[in-house]
Amino acid sequence: GAAAAAAARLAAGAGGSSADDMRRQILAERERRRAAMLKEKEEREKALAAEDEDPAMAPLNDAVARVAAHADAEASAGLLLRIVGNALNNPGEPKYRRVRLANPKIAAAVLDVDGGVDVLECAGFRLAFEDDGGEGDPRVMVLDDAADPAPLSAAFRRLAKLA
């Protein structure tokens, strides 16, 4: 009947109203975008998998694995994630590029956890000593202004899986 004829016209792309044509175009465009997004996601996942297998990432992978093995891994990874994330998301902000190891929360999550300092070092931070007038621990972890954000991103992705 009439419904079959209308369905045949839609399938053939012939006839129909301009609204039907517009609907088909919109659906086709959505499908193209969806396919492009899926392809982009697949390429990104391949790149991340290749990064995970990269021998240069072995020290970071090892440090994160040691943090994961700690009894309080979630809390430690959460604080490390916040440190790395703040440095990554606020590259021009000096307060996020310096971590005082004398801070009790930092000490508990970084110094007292096997792999904690190593994660920060692999992310690009370096150990430094600041003269604080002889009060407390002079050790700080510092991220240089010219530091490459790629190690920060790699550390962030790995820590996010734990936190």
Side-chain angles (χ1 to χ4, degrees), residues 70-119:
H70 192 269
D72 202 9
E74 190 174 326
S76 182
L79 185 58
L80 286 165
L81 183 66
R82 191 167 53 218
I83 292 168
V84 170
N86 282 341
L88 191 60
N89 295 324
N90 304 287
E93 208 43 66
K95 71 178 181 180
Y96 295 124
R97 303 177 78 80
R98 186 177 160 282
V99 179
R100 275 187 336 104
L101 298 178
N103 178 314
K105 285 186 178 182
I106 301 291
V110 177
L111 289 178
D112 298 345
V113 175
D114 185 30
V117 171
D118 295 333
V119 166

Coordinates of all heavy atoms in Angstrom, one line a residue, residues 70-119:
H70 N 50.7 0.1 47.9 CA 50.7 0.6 49.3 C 49.3 0.4 49.9 O 48.3 0.4 49.2 CB 51.1 2.1 49.3 CG 51.4 2.6 50.6 ND1 50.4 3.2 51.4 CD2 52.5 2.7 51.3 CE1 50.9 3.6 52.5 NE2 52.2 3.3 52.5
A71 N 49.3 0.2 51.2 CA 48.0 0.0 51.9 C 47.0 1.1 51.7 O 45.8 0.9 51.6 CB 48.3 -0.2 53.4
D72 N 47.5 2.3 51.7 CA 46.7 3.5 51.5 C 46.8 4.1 50.1 O 47.0 5.3 49.9 CB 47.0 4.5 52.6 CG 45.8 5.5 52.8 OD1 44.7 5.3 52.3 OD2 46.0 6.5 53.5
A73 N 46.8 3.2 49.1 CA 47.1 3.6 47.7 C 46.2 4.7 47.2 O 46.6 5.6 46.5 CB 47.1 2.4 46.8
E74 N 44.9 4.5 47.5 CA 43.9 5.4 46.9 C 44.1 6.9 47.4 O 44.1 7.8 46.6 CB 42.5 5.0 47.3 CG 41.4 5.7 46.5 CD 40.0 5.2 46.8 OE1 39.9 4.0 46.9 OE2 39.1 6.0 46.8
A75 N 44.4 7.0 48.7 CA 44.6 8.4 49.2 C 45.9 9.0 48.7 O 46.0 10.1 48.3 CB 44.7 8.3 50.8
S76 N 47.0 8.1 48.6 CA 48.2 8.6 48.1 C 48.1 9.0 46.6 O 48.6 10.1 46.2 CB 49.3 7.5 48.3 OG 50.5 8.0 47.9
A77 N 47.5 8.1 45.9 CA 47.3 8.4 44.4 C 46.5 9.6 44.2 O 46.7 10.4 43.3 CB 46.7 7.2 43.7
G78 N 45.5 9.8 45.1 CA 44.6 11.0 45.0 C 45.4 12.3 45.2 O 45.2 13.2 44.4
L79 N 46.2 12.3 46.2 CA 47.0 13.5 46.4 C 48.0 13.7 45.3 O 48.2 14.9 44.9 CB 47.7 13.4 47.8 CG 48.4 14.7 48.2 CD1 47.5 15.9 48.2 CD2 49.0 14.6 49.6
L80 N 48.7 12.7 44.9 CA 49.7 12.8 43.8 C 48.9 13.3 42.5 O 49.5 14.1 41.8 CB 50.4 11.5 43.5 CG 51.4 11.0 44.6 CD1 51.8 9.6 44.4 CD2 52.7 11.9 44.4
L81 N 47.8 12.7 42.3 CA 47.0 13.1 41.2 C 46.6 14.6 41.2 O 46.7 15.3 40.2 CB 45.7 12.3 41.1 CG 44.7 12.5 39.9 CD1 45.4 12.1 38.6 CD2 43.4 11.8 40.1
R82 N 46.3 15.1 42.4 CA 46.0 16.5 42.6 C 47.2 17.4 42.3 O 47.1 18.4 41.7 CB 45.4 16.8 43.9 CG 44.8 18.2 44.1 CD 43.9 18.4 45.3 NE 44.7 18.0 46.5 CZ 44.1 17.4 47.5 NH1 42.8 17.1 47.5 NH2 44.8 17.1 48.6
I83 N 48.3 17.0 42.8 CA 49.6 17.7 42.6 C 49.9 17.8 41.1 O 50.2 18.9 40.6 CB 50.8 17.1 43.4 CG1 50.6 17.2 44.9 CG2 52.1 17.7 42.9 CD1 51.5 16.4 45.7
V84 N 49.9 16.7 40.5 CA 50.2 16.6 39.0 C 49.2 17.3 38.2 O 49.5 18.1 37.3 CB 50.4 15.1 38.6 CG1 50.5 15.0 37.1 CG2 51.6 14.5 39.3
G85 N 47.9 17.1 38.6 CA 46.8 17.8 37.8 C 46.9 19.3 38.0 O 46.7 20.0 37.0
N86 N 47.2 19.8 39.2 CA 47.3 21.3 39.3 C 48.4 21.8 38.5 O 48.3 22.9 37.9 CB 47.5 21.6 40.8 CG 46.2 21.5 41.6 OD1 45.1 21.6 41.1 ND2 46.3 21.4 42.9
A87 N 49.6 21.1 38.5 CA 50.7 21.6 37.7 C 50.4 21.6 36.2 O 50.8 22.5 35.5 CB 51.9 20.8 38.0
L88 N 49.7 20.6 35.8 CA 49.3 20.4 34.4 C 48.3 21.4 34.0 O 48.4 22.0 32.9 CB 48.7 19.0 34.2 CG 48.5 18.5 32.8 CD1 49.8 18.4 32.0 CD2 47.9 17.1 32.8
N89 N 47.3 21.7 34.8 CA 46.2 22.6 34.4 C 46.5 24.1 34.7 O 45.7 24.9 34.2 CB 44.9 22.2 35.2 CG 44.4 20.9 34.7 OD1 44.5 20.5 33.6 ND2 43.9 20.1 35.7
N90 N 47.5 24.4 35.5 CA 47.9 25.7 35.8 C 49.4 26.0 35.6 O 50.1 26.2 36.5 CB 47.6 26.0 37.3 CG 46.1 25.8 37.6 OD1 45.2 26.5 37.2 ND2 45.8 24.7 38.3
P91 N 49.8 25.8 34.3 CA 51.3 25.9 34.0 C 52.0 27.2 34.4 O 53.2 27.1 34.7 CB 51.3 25.6 32.5 CG 50.0 25.9 32.0 CD 49.0 25.7 33.1
G92 N 51.3 28.3 34.4 CA 51.9 29.5 34.8 C 51.8 29.9 36.2 O 52.3 31.0 36.6
E93 N 51.3 29.0 37.1 CA 51.0 29.3 38.5 C 52.2 28.7 39.3 O 52.2 27.5 39.5 CB 49.7 28.7 38.8 CG 48.9 29.2 39.9 CD 48.7 30.7 40.0 OE1 48.1 31.3 39.1 OE2 49.2 31.3 41.0
P94 N 53.1 29.5 39.8 CA 54.2 29.0 40.6 C 53.9 28.2 41.8 O 54.6 27.2 42.1 CB 55.0 30.3 41.1 CG 54.5 31.4 40.1 CD 53.1 31.0 39.7
K95 N 52.7 28.4 42.5 CA 52.4 27.7 43.7 C 52.1 26.2 43.3 O 52.2 25.4 44.2 CB 51.2 28.3 44.4 CG 49.9 28.2 43.7 CD 48.8 28.9 44.6 CE 47.4 28.7 44.0 NZ 46.4 29.3 44.9
Y96 N 51.7 25.9 42.1 CA 51.5 24.5 41.7 C 52.7 23.8 41.2 O 52.6 22.6 40.8 CB 50.3 24.5 40.7 CG 49.0 24.9 41.2 CD1 48.3 26.0 40.6 CD2 48.5 24.4 42.4 CE1 47.1 26.4 41.1 CE2 47.3 24.8 42.9 CZ 46.6 25.8 42.3 OH 45.4 26.3 42.8
R97 N 53.8 24.5 41.1 CA 55.0 23.9 40.6 C 56.0 23.7 41.7 O 57.2 23.3 41.5 CB 55.7 24.9 39.6 CG 54.7 25.2 38.4 CD 55.3 26.2 37.5 NE 56.2 25.6 36.5 CZ 55.8 24.9 35.5 NH1 54.6 24.7 35.2 NH2 56.7 24.3 34.7
R98 N 55.6 23.8 43.0 CA 56.4 23.6 44.1 C 55.7 22.8 45.2 O 54.5 23.2 45.5 CB 56.8 25.0 44.7 CG 57.8 25.0 45.8 CD 58.1 26.5 46.1 NE 58.7 26.5 47.5 CZ 58.0 26.4 48.6 NH1 56.7 26.3 48.6 NH2 58.6 26.5 49.8
V99 N 56.3 21.8 45.7 CA 55.6 20.9 46.7 C 56.5 20.8 47.9 O 57.6 20.3 47.8 CB 55.4 19.5 46.1 CG1 54.7 18.6 47.2 CG2 54.5 19.5 44.9
R100 N 56.1 21.3 49.1 CA 56.8 21.3 50.3 C 56.7 19.9 50.9 O 55.6 19.5 51.3 CB 56.3 22.3 51.3 CG 56.9 23.7 51.2 CD 56.5 24.7 52.3 NE 55.2 24.3 53.0 CZ 55.2 23.8 54.2 NH1 56.3 23.5 54.9 NH2 54.1 23.5 54.8
L101 N 57.8 19.2 51.0 CA 57.8 17.9 51.5 C 57.6 17.9 53.1 O 57.4 16.8 53.7 CB 59.1 17.1 51.1 CG 59.2 16.9 49.6 CD1 60.5 16.2 49.3 CD2 58.0 16.1 49.0
A102 N 57.8 19.0 53.7 CA 57.6 19.1 55.1 C 56.1 19.1 55.5 O 55.8 18.8 56.6 CB 58.2 20.4 55.7
N103 N 55.2 19.4 54.6 CA 53.8 19.4 54.8 C 53.4 17.9 55.2 O 53.7 17.0 54.5 CB 53.1 19.8 53.5 CG 51.6 19.7 53.6 OD1 51.0 18.8 54.1 ND2 50.9 20.8 53.1
P104 N 52.7 17.8 56.4 CA 52.4 16.4 56.9 C 51.6 15.6 55.9 O 51.8 14.4 55.8 CB 51.6 16.7 58.2 CG 52.0 18.1 58.6 CD 52.3 18.8 57.3
K105 N 50.6 16.2 55.2 CA 49.8 15.4 54.2 C 50.7 14.9 53.1 O 50.6 13.8 52.6 CB 48.7 16.2 53.7 CG 47.5 16.4 54.7 CD 46.4 17.1 54.1 CE 45.2 17.2 55.1 NZ 44.0 17.8 54.5
I106 N 51.6 15.8 52.6 CA 52.5 15.5 51.5 C 53.4 14.4 52.0 O 53.7 13.4 51.2 CB 53.3 16.7 51.0 CG1 52.3 17.9 50.6 CG2 54.3 16.4 50.0 CD1 51.5 17.6 49.3
A107 N 54.0 14.6 53.2 CA 54.9 13.6 53.7 C 54.2 12.2 53.8 O 54.8 11.2 53.3 CB 55.4 14.0 55.0
A108 N 53.0 12.1 54.2 CA 52.3 10.9 54.4 C 52.0 10.2 53.0 O 52.1 9.0 52.9 CB 51.0 11.1 55.2
A109 N 51.7 11.1 52.0 CA 51.3 10.5 50.7 C 52.4 10.4 49.7 O 52.3 9.6 48.8 CB 50.2 11.4 50.1
V110 N 53.5 11.1 50.0 CA 54.6 11.1 49.0 C 55.9 10.4 49.6 O 56.4 9.4 49.1 CB 54.9 12.5 48.5 CG1 56.1 12.5 47.5 CG2 53.7 13.1 47.8
L111 N 56.3 11.0 50.7 CA 57.6 10.5 51.3 C 57.4 9.1 51.9 O 58.3 8.3 51.8 CB 58.1 11.4 52.4 CG 58.6 12.8 51.9 CD1 59.1 13.6 53.1 CD2 59.8 12.6 51.0
D112 N 56.3 8.9 52.6 CA 56.1 7.6 53.3 C 55.6 6.5 52.4 O 55.3 5.4 52.9 CB 55.1 7.8 54.5 CG 55.7 8.9 55.5 OD1 56.9 9.2 55.4 OD2 54.9 9.3 56.3
V113 N 55.3 6.8 51.2 CA 54.8 5.7 50.3 C 55.9 5.4 49.2 O 56.4 6.3 48.5 CB 53.5 6.3 49.6 CG1 53.0 5.3 48.5 CG2 52.4 6.5 50.6
D114 N 56.2 4.1 49.2 CA 57.2 3.7 48.2 C 56.7 4.1 46.8 O 55.6 3.7 46.4 CB 57.4 2.2 48.3 CG 58.5 1.7 47.4 OD1 59.4 2.4 47.1 OD2 58.4 0.5 46.9
G115 N 57.5 4.8 46.0 CA 57.2 5.2 44.7 C 56.7 6.6 44.6 O 56.6 7.2 43.5
G116 N 56.3 7.2 45.7 CA 55.7 8.6 45.7 C 56.6 9.6 45.1 O 56.2 10.4 44.2
V117 N 57.8 9.7 45.6 CA 58.7 10.7 45.1 C 59.1 10.4 43.7 O 59.2 11.3 42.8 CB 60.0 10.8 46.0 CG1 61.1 11.6 45.4 CG2 59.7 11.3 47.4
D118 N 59.2 9.1 43.4 CA 59.6 8.7 42.0 C 58.5 9.1 41.0 O 58.9 9.5 39.9 CB 59.8 7.2 42.0 CG 61.0 6.7 42.8 OD1 61.9 7.5 43.0 OD2 61.0 5.6 43.3
V119 N 57.3 9.0 41.4 CA 56.2 9.4 40.5 C 56.4 10.9 40.1 O 56.3 11.3 39.0 CB 54.8 9.2 41.1 CG1 53.7 9.9 40.3 CG2 54.5 7.7 41.1

